[in-house]
C-alpha cells in the first residue's frame, strides 16, 4: 500500500551536520513512504511523518523528490550536498508507479529493468565493496537521488565484492534535462513536395525505370520490407519544451526518449553531481579516475543473437538488428544502416562509420583506375623497348653494386626486374598521379556535402557544443590564479601566457627529439642495408647470392616494420606525457593536441624509410672509383640496374599489408581472445547453464571497455592508410585496391567489435570528424608534391622523355613512341675503367668468366663522360638536360594540379542546392506548424471556456 503526502506549504526546517553545515531550506517536497501492508493511507503533518520515519526506519525507504518550479542550484553551490543518512537503496515496491499493474515476465528476466520489471535501466555504475572511497560514493549517490534519479543495487553473481548500481531516470527528470540540454525531439511528420517536371524529362524517366526493371533490384540496399525496424520516423524536430509538450508526438512516455538519449541525459546529470565538500569535487569522471567507481556504462539492449531467424520472427532488439544487417559477414556488400547506428551508438560514432563508408565508396574509382594502370603495364610489357633492350643486353657487363664480394653481372640478369618495373612505371603513371591528386580533392569536397546532408538528417545543423568544463588537472594546477570567463561570467583558473609558451616550447622540443629518434632508426636501417648487401652477396645459397639486393630490401622492410611497431608504443607514452605537460584547458583541446602529436609521430615513423628509398637511395653514391661512404667506411647503397622503383614498390607493399593485418588482429583478435578467456573462466566456475542466466549488466561488464581515446585508433589507422594511398601512389598504383579490400573488411570488423565485443559506448554528439579533416587536407597537399618528385626523380619517365625528344632516333620530330626509345639503355649507362677501382672496392673476381679474359670496362647507371675524356667521369650535357627537365616537370605538375584542385574546390559548393531548399522550406513549415498548433490550442481552450459558461471580452482569436 502506498502512503503518500503532498505538502503544498511547509515551514523551513534546518538540518545541521556535525561539521556545522548551513540550514537546508525545504519548501515544497513530495514525500513518498512505503510501509508494510496493513498501514492505511492518511493525511498527516510533517512532524508526524518524521516520527513515523524513526519508528519504522528499517522497513521504509524514503525519497525526497523536488516538485517542478524549484530551481536547481549551481554546480559550484555547496548546497548540492544533501546531508543525512539516507544511503540505502530503493526497494522493489518503491519503483511501481501504479500498484497492481501487471509487469511482463520478460522484463523481469531480461536484465534491462529494475526488479519490478517497469523501470528501465538507463546507466550502470560498478564499484567494489573493499574500495576505501565509501564516503564519497555515499554522498554522490545521495545527491544522485536528490536529482530525481532512481537507484537499485545488485551484487555480482561471480564476485560478491563487486556491486552494480542501476540508475533509472523518470519522465519528469528526462523532460527537465532534455529541455536544459536542448534535445531535439519529433513533433510533425515531414511533408515532401515534387518539383514540376517537363514532359520530355518524364518520358526519359519512364524509359530509365523500364530499363531498371530488367536489372536486379538494388542488391546493395537492405531489405526494408522484411526488416521494418530500419524505417526511421521521418519527422521534423524541435528542442524539447515542457511548456509546449502538446506539440510533440508522444505515443508512449517510456519510449519517447530512446535508450541512447536516456543514457546521455543520465550521464549529463552524473557529470554535475557533487561527491565531496569543495568547489571542484564534482562529476563522475573524477570518481572514475580516483577509483571510487570501477566502471560506468549504458547497457546493451539484450543479446545480439536469437534462436529464431530475423526474416520470419523479426529482430529481438536493436542490437540484434544491428548484428544481422550490419555486423554480419553475410551483408558485406550492403550499405550501412547509418540511421540505426546513430540511434544506437550516437552521432559521433555514426559519423565515423559514415565517413569510413564514404571513403570506401570513393576508393572504387581510384582502385579501378589503379588496376587499369597495372593491367596497361601488363598488356604493353612485350612492346616495351626498354625492357626488350635490358633482356637482350647479354654483352653489357655492369659494375659490382657493393665492395669486394659483389661480382660483375650481365645487364640481362635484371630482365625480370625491368619487366616488373614497367608494370608500375609506364606511360599511364603520370595520368594516374594527376588523377589521384584530383581524386583526393573531390573526395574531401564531396565529403563536405555528404556531411551536410547527414548533419541535416540527424539534426546537427544548428547544434553547438556546450561550453566545455575545465579539465581537473588544469584546475588543480592553476587554481590560485583566476580570471572572469567572458562567456559564462564566472571566475575560472587562468594559465599565464609565459607559462603556456614555455610549456609549448618544451613540448615542441620533445616532438623534434622524437623525430630525430625516427631519423636515427632510419639511419640504422640504412647501415643494415649497406652491410648485409655484401653479406648476402657472399652467401652460400645460390638463390640468396644471386638475389642479394632483393633479399636485403625484403629483410630491411620487415625489420623496419618491427621497429615501427615498437616505436609506436613509445610514441604513445611520449605523446601522452607531452600533452599533459602542455596542460590543455579543456578535453577537446587535450584531444586535438594528443591527436596531432600521435599522427605526426606515427606518420613520420611509418613513412620515413619510404621517403629515404624514394628520394635518397642511389642519389648520392658517387661513381665507381670515387664512392661516397658513411663515416668513411661503408659505401652507400646503389639502386638496382633496373632502377630504385622496385625497392619502393616492395617497401610500400610489405608495410601496407603487414600494417593492415596487424591492425585488424589487434582490433578484433585481441578483444576476442580476452572475452573468450573470460567466458572460459566463467564456464569452469559456474558451468554453461549459469552463464546464460547472467543478467545483462553482468554480461556487459565482462566485455571489453571501449578504447580510452575513443575513436582515435580507428581514425588514425584510416588516415595513415589514406596517406599510403595518395602520397606514393605513382610508385604503387595498386595501393587504392589494397586499401579498398582492407576497408570492406574493416567496416564489418569495426561493426562486429562495437556490437559484440565492446561495452556499449556512451552516445555522444558531433557535427563532423574534427581535426582529422584538416589532417586529410594536409595529406592531400603533400601527396601532390611527393608524386611530382616520385615521377620526376624516382622513376625513369623524365630521362626517357628527354631521350625520345632530344637524343633518340626521333629527335626533333616531336614523337615519343616505342620506336623512339631504341638505344635508350645504352645511352643511360656510363663506362668505367676497371683499373680505376679503389683498393677496398675492387671485386674479388676479375670478370674473366664473361669473356675468358679480365674485364677492362664495366657500365653503371649515370650520365658521365668516359675515362679517356678531357675531364674523366664528369657530367655530360644529357645529365643537365635531364636535371632541368625534372625541375621543370615538378614545377609544372604542382602548379597544374594545385590549380585543378582549387578550381574543383571552388566549383563544388559545400551545401547541395536541394538540401539548401529543403532547409529553407523546413524552417518555413516549422513556423507555420507552430502557429497552427498554438492556434489550435487557443481555440480548444476557448471552446472549453464556452462550455463552462466562462467568456472573456477582447480575446484572441
Amino acid at each position: 500500500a502506498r502512503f503518500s503526502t503532498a505538502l503544498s506549504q511547509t515551514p523551513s526546517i534546518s538540518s545541521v551536520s556535525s561539521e556545522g553545515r548551513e540550514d537546508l531550506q525545504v519548501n515544497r517536497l513530495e514525500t513518498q513512504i512505503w510501509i508494510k501492508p496493513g498501514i492505511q493511507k492518511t493525511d498527516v503533518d510533517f512532524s508526524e511523518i518524521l516520527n513515523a520515519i524513526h519508528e519504522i526506519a528499517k522497513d521504509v525507504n524514503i525519497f525526497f523528490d523536488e516538485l517542478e518550479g524549484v530551481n536547481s542550484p549551481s554546480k559550484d553551490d555547496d548546497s548540492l550536498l544533501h546531508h543525512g543518512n539516507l544511503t540505502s537503496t530503493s526497494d522493489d515496491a518503491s519503483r511501481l508507479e501504479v500498484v497492481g499493474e501487471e509487469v511482463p515476465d520478460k522484463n523481469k528476466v531480461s536484465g534491462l529493468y529494475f526488479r519490478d520489471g517497469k523501470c528501465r535501466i538507463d546507466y550502470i555504475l560498478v564499484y567494489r565493496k573493499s574500495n576505501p572511497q565509501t564516503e564519497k560514493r555515499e554522498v554522490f549517490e545521495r545527491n544522485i537521488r536528490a536529482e530525481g534519479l532512481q537507484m537499485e543495487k545488485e551484487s555480482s553473481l561471480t564476485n560478491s565484492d563487486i556491486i552494480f548500481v542501476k540508475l533509472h531516470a523518470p519522465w519528469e527528470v528526462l523532460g527537465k534535462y532534455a529541455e536544459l540540454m536542448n534535445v531535439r525531439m519529433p513533433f510533425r511528420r515531414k511533408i515532401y513536395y515534387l518539383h514540376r517536371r517537363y514532359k520530355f524529362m518524364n518520358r526519359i524517366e519512364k524509359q530509365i525505370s523500364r530499363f531498371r526493371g530488367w536489372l536486379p533490384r538494388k542488391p546493395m540496399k537492405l531489405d526494408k520490407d522484411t526488416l521494418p525496424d530500419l524505417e526511421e520516423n521521418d519527422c521534423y524536430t524541435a528542442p524539447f519544451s515542457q511548456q509546449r509538450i502538446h506539440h510533440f508526438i508522444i505515443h508512449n512516455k517510456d519510449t519517447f526518449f530512446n535508450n541512447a538519449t536516456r543514457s546521455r541525459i543520465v550521464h549529463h546529470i552524473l557529470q554535475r553531481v557533487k561527491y565531496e565538500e569543495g568547489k571542484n569535487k564534482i562529476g563522475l569522471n573524477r570518481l572514475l579516475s580516483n577509483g571510487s567507481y570501477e566502471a560506468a556504462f549504458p547497457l546493451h539492449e539484450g543479446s545480439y543473437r536469437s534462436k529464431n531467424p530475423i526474416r520470419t520472427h523479426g529482430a529481438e532488439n536493436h542490437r540484434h538488428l544491428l548484428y544481422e544487417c550490419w555486423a554480419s559477414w553475410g551483408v558485406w556488400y550492403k550499405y550501412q544502416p547509418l540511421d540505426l547506428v546513430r540511434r544506437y551508438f550516437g552521432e559521433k560514432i555514426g559519423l565515423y562509420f559514415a565517413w569510413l563508408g564514404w571513403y570506401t565508396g570513393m576508393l572504387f574509382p581510384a582502385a579501378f583506375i589503379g588496376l587499369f594502370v597495372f593491367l596497361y603495364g601488363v598488356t604493353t610489357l612485350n612492346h616495351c623497348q626498354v625492357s626488350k633492350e635490358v633482356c637482350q643486353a647479354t654483352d653489357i657487363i655492369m659494375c659490382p653494386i657493393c665492395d669486394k664480394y659483389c661480382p660483375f653481372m650481365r645487364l640481362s640478369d635484371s630482365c625480370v626486374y625491368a619487366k616488373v618495373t614497367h608494370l608500375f612505371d609506364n606511360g599511364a603513371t603520370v595520368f594516374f598521379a594527376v588523377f589521384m591528386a584530383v581524386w583526393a580533392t573531390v573526395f574531401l569536397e564531396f565529403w563536405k556535402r555528404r556531411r551536410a546532408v547527414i548533419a541535416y538528417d540527424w539534426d546537427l545543423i544548428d547544434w553547438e557544443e556546450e561550453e566545455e568544463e575545465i579539465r581537473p588537472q588544469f584546475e588543480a594546477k592553476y587554481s590560485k590564479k583566476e580570471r572572469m570567463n567572458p562567456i559564462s561570467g564566472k571566475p575560472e583558473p587562468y594559465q599565464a601566457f609565459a607559462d603556456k609558451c614555455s610549456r609549448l616550447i618544451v613540448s615542441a622540443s620533445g616532438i623534434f627529439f622524437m623525430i630525430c629518434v625516427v631519423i636515427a632508426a632510419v639511419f640504422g636501417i640504412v647501415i643494415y642495408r649497406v652491410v648485409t648487401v655484401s653479406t648476402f652477396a657472399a652467401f652460400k645459397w645460390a638463390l640468396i647470392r644471386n638475389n642479394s639486393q632483393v633479399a636485403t630490401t625484403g629483410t630491411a622492410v620487415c625489420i623496419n616494420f618491427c621497429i615501427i611497431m615498437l616505436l609506436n608504443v613509445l610514441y604513445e607514452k611520449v605523446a601522452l606525457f607531452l600533452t599533459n605537460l602542455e596542460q590543455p584547458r579543456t578535453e577537446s583541446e587535450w584531444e586535438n593536441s594528443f591527436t596531432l602529436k600521435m599522427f605526426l609521430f606515427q606518420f613520420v615513423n611509418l613513412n620515413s624509410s619510404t621517403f629515404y628509398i624514394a628520394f635518397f637511395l642511389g642519389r648520392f653514391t658517387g661513381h665507381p672509383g670515387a664512392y661516397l661512404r658513411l663515416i668513411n667506411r661503408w659505401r652507400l647503397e646503389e639502386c638496382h640496374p633496373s632502377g630504385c622503383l622496385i625497392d619502393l614498390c616492395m617497401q610500400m607493399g610489405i608495410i601496407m599489408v603487414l600494417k593492415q593485418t596487424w591492425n585488424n588482429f589487434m582490433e578484433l583478435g585481441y578483444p576476442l581472445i580476452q572475452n573468450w578467456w573470460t567466458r572460459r573462466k566463467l564456464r569452469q566456475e559456474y558451468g554453461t547453464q549459469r552463464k546464460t542466466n547472467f543478467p545483462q549488466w553482468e554480461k556487459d561488464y565482462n566485455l571489453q571497455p571501449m578504447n580510452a581515446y575513443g575513436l582515435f585508433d580507428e581514425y588514425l589507422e584510416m588516415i595513415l592508410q589514406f596517406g599510403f594511398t595518395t602520397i606514393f601512389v605513382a610508385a604503387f598504383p595498386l595501393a587504392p585496391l589494397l586499401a579498398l579490400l582492407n576497408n570492406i573488411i574493416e567496416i564489418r570488423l569495426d561493426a562486429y567489435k562495437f556490437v559484440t565485443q565492446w561495452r556499449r559506448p556512451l552516445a555522444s554528439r558531433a557535427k563532423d570528424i574534427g581535426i582529422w579533416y584538416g589532417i586529410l587536407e594536409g595529406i592531400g597537399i603533400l601527396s601532390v608534391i611527393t608524386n611530382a618528385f616520385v615521377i620526376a626523380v624516382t622513376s625513369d619517365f623524365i630521362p626517357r622523355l628527354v631521350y625520345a625528344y632530344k637524343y633518340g632516333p626521333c629527335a626533333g620530330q616531336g614523337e615519343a613512341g616505342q620506336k623512339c626509345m631504341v638505344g635508350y639503355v645504352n645511352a643511360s649507362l656510363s663506362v668505367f675503367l676497371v683499373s680505376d677501382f679503389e683498393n677496398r672496392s675492387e671485386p674479388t673476381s676479375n670478370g674473366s668468366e664473361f669473356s675468358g679474359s679480365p674485364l677492362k670496362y664495366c657500365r653503371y647507371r649515370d650520365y658521365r663522360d668516359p675515362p679517356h675524356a678531357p675531364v674523366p667521369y664528369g657530367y655530360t650535357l644529357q645529365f643537365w638536360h635531364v636535371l632541368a627537365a625534372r625541375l621543370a616537370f615538378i614545377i609544372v605538375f604542382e602548379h597544374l594540379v594545385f590549380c585543378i584542385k582549387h578550381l574543383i574546390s571552388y566549383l563544388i559548393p559545400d551545401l547541395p542546392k536541394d538540401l539548401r531548399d529543403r532547409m529553407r522550406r523546413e524552417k518555413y513549415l516549422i513556423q507555420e506548424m507552430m502557429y497552427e498548433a498554438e492556434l489550435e490550442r487557443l481555440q480548444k481552450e476557448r471552446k472549453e471556456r464556452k462550455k463552462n459558461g466562462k467568456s472573456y471580452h477582447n480575446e484572441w482569436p
Side-chain angles (χ1 to χ4, degrees):
R2 183 176 181 181
F3 180 54
S4 176
T5 304
L7 304 176
S8 59
Q9 291 182 351
T10 61
S12 62
I13 63 171
S14 64
S15 174
V16 184
S17 68
S18 60
E19 299 176 1
R21 298 185 178 94
E22 296 181 358
D23 295 348
L24 280 173
Q25 300 296 328
V26 183
N27 294 325
R28 298 179 63 193
L29 298 175
E30 181 183 4
T31 306
Q32 299 177 352
I33 306 176
W34 291 89
I35 307 179
K36 289 182 177 180
I39 298 180
Q40 302 295 327
K41 177 182 176 181
T42 182
D43 293 330
V44 295
D45 59 13
F46 195 79
S47 61
E48 293 175 353
I49 294 174
L50 291 177
N51 293 333
I53 290 172
H54 292 294
E55 293 175 3
I56 55 174
K58 294 182 179 180
D59 302 310
V60 182
N61 289 313
I62 308 166
F63 292 89
F64 294 95
D65 297 331
E66 294 182 7
L67 293 177
E68 59 183 7
V70 180
N71 294 327
S72 61
S74 65
K75 63 181 180 182
D76 293 328
D77 190 358
D78 286 341
S79 63
L80 273 177
L81 291 171
H82 293 262
H83 313 294
N85 57 356
L86 305 178
T87 59
S88 62
T89 56
S90 63
D91 202 58
D92 289 1
S94 64
R95 301 297 182 269
L96 295 177
E97 297 179 1
V98 181
V99 178
E101 187 174 320
E102 293 184 2
V103 180
D105 294 336
K106 183 180 179 181
N107 289 356
K108 292 183 178 180
V109 299
S110 65
L112 302 175
Y113 293 82
F114 280 14
R115 289 191 295 268
D116 61 6
K118 287 192 172 181
C119 297
R120 188 176 188 91
I121 300 173
D122 297 322
Y123 212 81
I124 291 290
L125 303 177
V126 186
Y127 69 88
R128 293 181 180 270
K129 289 191 293 185
S130 57
N131 190 287
Q133 307 281 355
T134 304
E135 185 178 353
K136 292 180 181 179
R137 282 197 306 270
E138 288 181 353
V139 176
F140 185 71
E141 291 170 6
R142 186 161 62 245
N143 292 331
I144 288 176
R145 288 194 293 271
E147 289 291 335
L149 296 181
Q150 296 177 2
M151 185 186 302
E152 192 174 75
K153 292 187 179 181
E154 290 278 354
S155 180
S156 173
L157 298 178
T158 60
N159 188 347
S160 59
D161 188 43
I162 298 177
I163 303 298
F164 295 97
V165 181
K166 301 176 286 186
L167 300 178
H168 167 75
W171 168 258
E172 293 77 11
V173 176
L174 292 173
K176 172 186 173 182
Y177 280 95
E179 187 171 358
L180 291 175
M181 296 168 63
N182 290 323
V183 177
R184 299 182 70 91
M185 301 304 294
F187 72 96
R188 284 289 189 279
R189 291 195 65 83
K190 288 186 178 180
I191 302 173
Y192 295 99
Y193 67 99
L194 298 175
H195 293 284
R196 183 177 179 182
R197 301 281 185 178
Y198 295 99
K199 292 182 178 180
F200 177 72
M201 295 299 296
N202 286 335
R203 291 175 184 173
I204 293 178
E205 288 182 357
K206 287 181 180 178
Q207 296 296 329
I208 293 175
S209 61
R210 184 179 300 175
F211 174 74
R212 285 177 178 173
W214 302 336
L215 301 176
R217 292 185 175 273
K218 299 179 181 179
M220 298 176 68
K221 286 196 173 183
L222 294 165
D223 188 0
K224 294 186 178 182
D225 295 331
T226 56
L227 300 175
D229 290 332
L230 289 176
E231 290 287 356
E232 287 286 323
N233 289 329
D234 204 5
C235 300
Y236 293 117
T237 60
F240 183 77
S241 173
Q242 290 181 320
Q243 293 181 348
R244 297 188 176 184
I245 196 171
H246 52 278
H247 291 171
F248 296 90
I249 304 173
I250 304 178
H251 301 298
N252 186 350
K253 288 185 177 182
D254 293 336
T255 58
F256 178 64
F257 296 104
N258 60 39
N259 296 330
T261 304
R262 295 173 69 100
S263 300
R264 187 156 54 92
I265 291 174
V266 173
H267 182 78
H268 177 87
I269 297 172
L270 297 179
Q271 291 296 92
R272 287 154 180 79
V273 172
K274 281 203 168 186
Y275 61 85
E276 200 175 47
E277 293 280 5
K279 181 178 180 181
N280 300 321
K281 308 296 185 180
I282 184 173
L284 175 63
N285 284 348
R286 287 182 172 88
L287 290 176
L288 289 171
S289 61
N290 64 27
S292 298
Y293 287 100
E294 192 171 291
F297 53 89
L299 285 180
H300 278 296
E301 297 181 7
S303 175
Y304 63 90
R305 294 186 183 275
S306 177
K307 297 179 181 178
N308 302 317
I310 190 173
R311 295 190 175 274
T312 56
H313 292 75
E316 298 286 339
N317 49 65
H318 285 157
R319 189 187 185 193
H320 180 214
L321 184 60
L322 276 172
Y323 177 77
E324 293 290 341
C325 68
W326 183 48
S328 176
W329 292 105
V331 293
W332 65 269
Y333 61 95
K334 300 277 189 183
Y335 291 128
Q336 299 182 84
L338 292 177
D339 290 332
L340 189 58
V341 175
R342 171 244 183 172
R343 185 168 63 184
Y344 194 83
F345 291 110
E347 286 80 2
K348 193 169 187 178
I349 294 176
L351 269 173
Y352 163 71
F353 281 103
W355 176 84
L356 180 57
W358 183 257
Y359 171 46
T360 304
M362 289 293 291
L363 279 174
F364 273 97
F368 176 78
I369 299 297
L371 183 61
F372 170 79
V373 171
F374 179 78
L375 294 178
Y376 174 80
V378 173
T379 55
T380 58
L381 184 61
N382 295 328
H383 305 286
C384 178
Q385 182 63 32
V386 176
S387 300
K388 286 181 180 180
E389 291 187 1
V390 170
C391 294
Q392 296 170 1
T394 56
D395 56 338
I396 298 178
I397 308 302
M398 302 297 296
C399 297
I401 60 175
C402 66
D403 292 338
K404 293 187 178 181
Y405 299 108
C406 291
F408 294 98
M409 59 179 293
R410 288 188 175 92
L411 180 60
S412 58
D413 293 342
S414 60
C415 176
V416 176
Y417 303 113
K419 291 182 178 181
V420 173
T421 301
H422 177 75
L423 299 180
F424 302 101
D425 184 14
N426 50 63
T429 303
V430 178
F431 160 74
F432 187 58
V434 175
F435 171 81
M436 287 303 297
V438 174
W439 173 87
T441 303
V442 172
F443 162 65
L444 293 176
E445 291 300 320
F446 276 94
W447 164 247
K448 286 183 185 177
R449 295 165 61 87
R450 174 63 176 159
R451 187 206 63 83
V453 174
I454 292 174
Y456 169 78
D457 291 337
W458 292 356
D459 294 321
L460 299 173
I461 294 292
D462 298 325
W463 178 77
E464 296 292 339
E465 293 189 24
E466 300 176 357
E467 179 66 18
E468 289 191 89
E469 295 182 359
I470 299 175
R471 297 177 66 242
Q473 296 85 346
F474 186 88
E475 288 179 335
K477 181 70 176 178
Y478 301 103
S479 57
K480 295 181 180 180
K481 294 183 180 181
E482 291 186 346
R483 73 173 182 179
M484 196 68 67
N485 187 312
I487 299 175
S488 63
K490 296 180 181 179
E492 66 178 18
Y494 167 68
Q495 183 182 16
F497 179 76
D499 180 76
K500 186 173 184 178
C501 286
S502 61
R503 290 178 178 275
L504 288 176
I505 291 173
V506 173
S507 177
S509 302
I511 295 172
F512 178 75
F513 173 76
M514 294 309 299
I515 292 177
C516 291
V517 171
V518 176
I519 296 175
V522 174
F523 185 75
I525 295 294
V526 171
I527 293 177
Y528 169 82
R529 295 172 69 107
V530 169
V531 172
T532 54
V533 68
S534 300
T535 305
F536 284 140
F539 214 73
K540 294 181 179 180
W541 295 348
L543 178 64
I544 296 179
R545 186 173 61 251
N546 296 334
N547 299 278
S548 59
Q549 199 162 15
V550 176
T552 301
T553 302
T555 54
V557 171
C558 294
I559 294 174
N560 184 33
F561 174 76
C562 296
I563 294 176
I564 287 172
M565 302 312 297
L566 290 175
L567 287 179
N568 282 345
V569 179
L570 174 64
Y571 291 153
E572 182 176 345
K573 298 183 182 300
V574 173
L576 193 62
F577 172 77
L578 293 178
T579 306
N580 290 330
L581 181 67
E582 292 177 6
Q583 290 290 350
R585 178 177 169 272
T586 62
E587 288 294 337
S588 64
E589 292 178 6
W590 187 95
E591 184 179 340
N592 290 340
S593 178
F594 179 77
T595 298
L596 194 58
K597 290 180 182 61
M598 280 296 293
F599 168 75
L600 188 60
F601 286 156
Q602 295 216 18
F603 180 81
V604 174
N605 187 26
L606 193 64
N607 294 284
S608 54
S609 296
T610 311
F611 271 89
Y612 164 75
I613 293 174
F615 306 128
F616 297 98
L617 178 63
R619 309 294 165 200
F620 309 100
T621 58
H623 62 86
Y627 286 116
L628 297 178
R629 297 179 181 273
L630 285 175
I631 323 176
N632 197 28
R633 181 178 180 182
W634 293 300
R635 170 182 162 184
L636 290 175
E637 187 183 5
E638 289 187 45
C639 290
H640 197 273
S642 297
C644 293
L645 201 66
I646 187 67
D647 296 311
L648 184 59
C649 292
M650 287 182 62
Q651 172 81 12
M652 290 192 62
I654 295 175
I655 291 291
M656 196 170 184
V657 171
L658 290 180
K659 187 79 166 61
Q660 291 178 349
T661 304
W662 175 260
N663 286 338
N664 290 334
F665 169 75
M666 292 302 295
E667 283 187 5
L668 184 63
Y670 185 65
L672 274 174
I673 293 173
Q674 285 185 314
N675 290 333
W676 170 81
W677 184 255
T678 303
R679 290 193 300 269
R680 182 176 178 272
K681 290 195 299 184
L682 292 176
R683 282 196 300 268
Q684 288 178 350
E685 295 180 11
Y686 302 98
T688 56
Q689 188 63 30
R690 183 69 179 273
K691 174 67 175 65
T692 58
N693 294 330
F694 282 162
Q696 189 63 41
W697 57 82
E698 191 102 25
K699 295 177 182 177
D700 286 6
Y701 178 70
N702 290 326
L703 296 177
Q704 297 302 309
M706 188 178 176
N707 192 303
Y709 307 126
L711 294 168
F712 171 79
D713 287 339
E714 279 71 23
Y715 273 118
L716 181 63
E717 178 188 356
M718 290 295 104
I719 299 300
L720 292 176
Q721 185 207 81
F722 179 80
F724 255 102
T725 307
T726 55
I727 292 178
F728 293 104
V729 73
F732 192 58
L734 293 179
L737 180 62
L738 293 180
L740 174 63
L741 297 177
N742 174 80
N743 286 7
I744 292 175
I745 300 173
E746 180 75 20
I747 291 176
R748 306 304 162 181
L749 279 181
D750 284 348
Y752 184 83
K753 177 178 61 180
F754 272 92
V755 173
T756 68
Q757 302 301 310
W758 278 1
R759 296 173 191 163
R760 185 176 183 177
L762 180 71
S764 55
R765 309 199 85 190
K767 293 183 69 173
D768 50 33
I769 61 176
I771 193 175
W772 296 109
Y773 185 84
I775 293 175
L776 286 170
E777 287 188 323
I779 291 176
I781 294 173
L782 180 63
S783 67
V784 177
I785 301 172
T786 53
N787 281 305
F789 275 90
V790 166
I791 296 172
V793 177
T794 310
S795 73
D796 289 337
F797 175 77
I798 298 299
R800 292 175 186 175
L801 209 62
V802 172
Y803 178 82
Y805 284 101
K806 185 69 177 176
Y807 297 95
C810 305
Q813 299 179 13
E815 297 182 11
Q818 290 297 326
K819 63 180 181 179
C820 300
M821 298 304 297
V822 176
Y824 167 76
V825 172
N826 186 60
S828 64
L829 298 176
S830 300
V831 180
F832 178 72
L833 185 64
V834 173
S835 60
D836 291 341
F837 267 123
E838 300 171 298
N839 291 331
R840 54 182 171 179
S841 298
E842 188 173 357
T844 55
S845 65
N846 58 8
S848 58
E849 64 271 17
F850 295 105
S851 60
S853 60
L855 284 176
K856 291 184 178 181
Y857 301 97
C858 65
R859 311 292 294 272
Y860 62 97
R861 282 173 56 93
D862 209 341
Y863 297 100
R864 291 182 180 271
D865 290 324
H868 303 295
V871 181
Y873 307 117
Y875 287 116
T876 63
L877 183 62
Q878 188 175 356
F879 169 81
W880 299 109
H881 285 164
V882 170
L883 180 62
R886 281 172 168 167
L887 295 176
F889 175 83
I890 291 172
I891 295 173
V892 172
F893 181 89
E894 288 182 357
H895 283 71
L896 176 64
V897 175
F898 278 132
C899 288
I900 295 175
K901 286 169 68 71
H902 285 94
L903 180 63
I904 291 174
S905 301
Y906 175 77
L907 293 177
I908 301 177
D910 295 344
L911 207 62
K913 184 179 182 303
D914 60 337
L915 178 61
R916 190 181 296 111
D917 294 340
R918 286 167 60 189
M919 290 171 61
R920 290 176 180 175
R921 180 166 177 80
E922 177 176 338
K923 186 176 181 181
Y924 168 77
L925 290 176
I926 287 176
Q927 292 177 350
E928 292 294 321
M929 291 174 184
M930 286 291 188
Y931 292 149
E932 291 176 2
E934 194 66 23
L935 180 62
E936 182 180 349
R937 184 181 66 84
L938 292 174
Q939 289 176 344
K940 187 175 181 180
E941 290 180 358
R942 182 181 181 185
K943 290 180 181 179
E944 290 179 355
R945 292 195 193 102
K946 286 184 178 180
K947 285 183 180 180
N948 298 331
K950 297 179 181 180
S951 60
Y952 298 93
H953 299 287
N954 301 325
E955 65 180 43
W956 184 88

